[in-house]
Every structure is written in structure tokens, then in C-alpha cells.
Amino acid sequence: MSRQHHLRGVLLASVACILWGISGVAASSLFMLNPHITALWLTQVRMISAGMILLVFGQFAGVKPFAIWRQRATALRVVSYGLLGLVPVQLCYFEAVKFGNAPIATIIQYLGPFIISIYFLLFKHVTPTRPEALGMIMAFFGTLLIVTHGHLNSLAISPVVLFWGGLSAIGVATNTLLPRPLLPKFGAVSVTGWGLLVAGICLNVFGPVWRDHVTLTGAELALILVIIILGTVIPFLMFAHALGYILPTTASLLDAFEPLAATVFSVAFLNVQLTNYDLFGGVLIILAVMALSLNGRKMINFLRSFRTE
């Protein structure tokens, strides 16, 4: 592969991660502007709209998105992916943003790769390598700094933020593992499109999206479009395209742009105040995930094993 293609993949993945970070900032702005907008309502609107757009795109691109429903096993897998993967990674993330702020919510969610490592340790009996063990220690201390600000007898952030952020980190793990067997056959566009649409529709059990009569200003509607288009559809397509040029390990390293973008834009536009503990803890977590990703060849092999299970 040429250097030009590698650079193209790096740029695509980097911009995609920055756009994901911006979507968290846009959601934080919405929650501040309109108290009637709930995390549930915003997640439903985002999932249903983005899912439909991706599926229409897939249909015109010749992906044949309806093929995934022809077998019971693949249909159940995509439903479980939507409910157990996408719901926690998006709904719980927005809840953490609503009760806290975008930088802290994104950094806590960034712990997801370590949930995957713990899964392999407990259920696959895979002992972490030295880089992985070092990364786990760094991530632990980084999280401890953010949560306690150096005072171990008290919490510096709301337990509610920690709860929703922790669930979103678990969601990152399930969001990574569950769709793996489907991707080689059906493609990322169909799998993600159906996962989003199924999850968004099923969330109506907890609160029908049409029941909440939310009045939106022009600015609020623009922010919602930013979350749907710039924060979901476009970065997903860019990131999926980038994987055709770069290795997944390289792409996972570039994920660091998401919490960085969320932090920079929150401080610049929302006047969010972060302490030195937050910043240093966030840097530790980002470096920890990089340490894990640099040793990611073995993890990729294990993820591939899910295709045959």
C-alpha cells in the first residue's frame, strides 16, 4: 500500500474521531439550551435518523441491506448488537454528558478497550502482556485522578456521571465484539444501519419519541443535524473507509482525537472548566489506550475468532 493511501486513511480516521468528539459537545450544548430535551429523546432521534440514512445509502451503493434478516442467527445478532452494543454506547454516553460534560463523559467512555481486555482475561483466559498491564495501571490511575482529584475519601464528579460513563465504556466493548461475525458478510454500513434503527425503535418502549412535544429553535435544530449528520453518519462512513487504507491498530490509536476534540471544543465554546487533575488523568487514559493499541495484534486475532464461533 502506498504512503499516499496510508496518509489518506490516517486523515479520514482522524477527522472521523474529531467529528465524534464534536457531536458530544453539540449534545452538551443542546442540554444546556433546552431542558426539555432528554438523553433518551436525543438518542432515539439520532439512532432512527442515522440508521435510515445509512440503510438508504447502502441500498443505493448496492450493499443489499435486507439480506441480514434472511437468517435467524444473523437477525438475532444484529438485534443484540443494537440493544446491547449501540444503546449503552450512545444513550449512556448522552446521559453522562447531560449530568456532567462532554470531555469527562468521552474520557470515561474511552476506557472501553480495557473492558475488552478484562473480558479476554476472565472468559478467554488470556493473560495481559506487559504493555497491556502497564496500560491498565495507567488507565486506573488516570480514572482515579478524574474521579477523586487526589482526595481518595471523596468524589470529584457526580456518582451519576460515573455510573452512566461506566456503562458507556462497557457499551464500547459490546459495541466492538457483538457485530464482528456479521461484518465480513454483510458489511459495516448494513450492520450499523440496522443496529441503529432497531435500537432507536426499541427505545420507544421506554418513552415514545412522538410523545414528547419538544419545541426546537433554529439553533437547536442545527445542533441536532450536526449530531446526526456530522456526528454519526459522515464519521462512520469515513472511519469505515479509512480501515481500507490503515490497520485497525492504527485507527484505534487515532481514537485519541475524540476525547481531545471534546475537550478542546468544550473549553473553547462552552467555557467548560477542567482542573489539572482532569487533564492529567485524561492524558494518562489516552496514553494507556495507545499502549494497548500498539500491542493490538493479539487482540485482533481474538476478535477474528468470533467469526467462527
Side-chain angles (χ1 to χ4, degrees), residues 54-67 185-186 189-190:
L54 286 172
L55 291 173
V56 170
F57 174 85
Q59 183 66 35
F60 280 102
V63 176
K64 298 180 180 179
F66 289 95
K185 184 175 181 180
F186 301 104
V189 172
S190 291

Side-chain angles (χ1 to χ4, degrees), residues 79-92:
V79 171
S80 65
Y81 163 54
L83 297 182
L84 301 178
L86 289 170
V87 167
V89 84
Q90 297 201 21
L91 174 60
C92 297

Side-chain angles (χ1 to χ4, degrees), residues 40-42 44-45 48 200 203-204 207-214:
L40 177 61
W41 183 87
L42 183 57
Q44 290 169 316
V45 172
I48 293 173
L203 283 178
N204 283 278
V209 67
W210 58 85
R211 187 182 64 187
D212 297 329
H213 301 288
V214 179

Side-chain angles (χ1 to χ4, degrees), residues 92-103:
C92 297
Y93 172 72
F94 277 160
E95 291 284 8
V97 170
K98 184 176 179 64
F99 288 104
N101 57 59

Side-chain angles (χ1 to χ4, degrees), residues 6-127:
H6 180 80
L7 178 60
R8 182 183 302 173
V10 168
L11 290 175
L12 284 171
S14 300
V15 174
C17 293
I18 290 172
L19 290 176
W20 277 321
I22 291 175
S23 72
V25 180
S28 185
S29 300
L30 271 176
F31 295 140
M32 290 189 294
L33 290 172
N34 193 333
H36 298 291
I37 295 178
T38 65
L40 177 61
W41 183 87
L42 183 57
T43 303
Q44 290 169 316
V45 172
R46 178 191 194 183
M47 284 182 160
I48 293 173
S49 301
M52 292 179 65
I53 292 172
L54 286 172
L55 291 173
V56 170
F57 174 85
Q59 183 66 35
F60 280 102
V63 176
K64 298 180 180 179
F66 289 95
I68 202 169
W69 297 103
R70 293 174 184 168
Q71 298 178 8
R72 182 181 178 185
T74 57
L76 290 176
R77 171 72 67 163
V78 78
V79 171
S80 65
Y81 163 54
L83 297 182
L84 301 178
L86 289 170
V87 167
V89 84
Q90 297 201 21
L91 174 60
C92 297
Y93 172 72
F94 277 160
E95 291 284 8
V97 170
K98 184 176 179 64
F99 288 104
N101 57 59
I104 296 300
T106 308
I107 289 171
I108 295 176
Q109 187 185 59
Y110 201 61
L111 293 168
F114 294 97
I115 306 295
I116 298 176
S117 294
I118 293 171
Y119 168 83
F120 283 127
L121 175 63
L122 295 178
F123 297 101
K124 297 290 184 178
H125 307 293
V126 179
T127 304

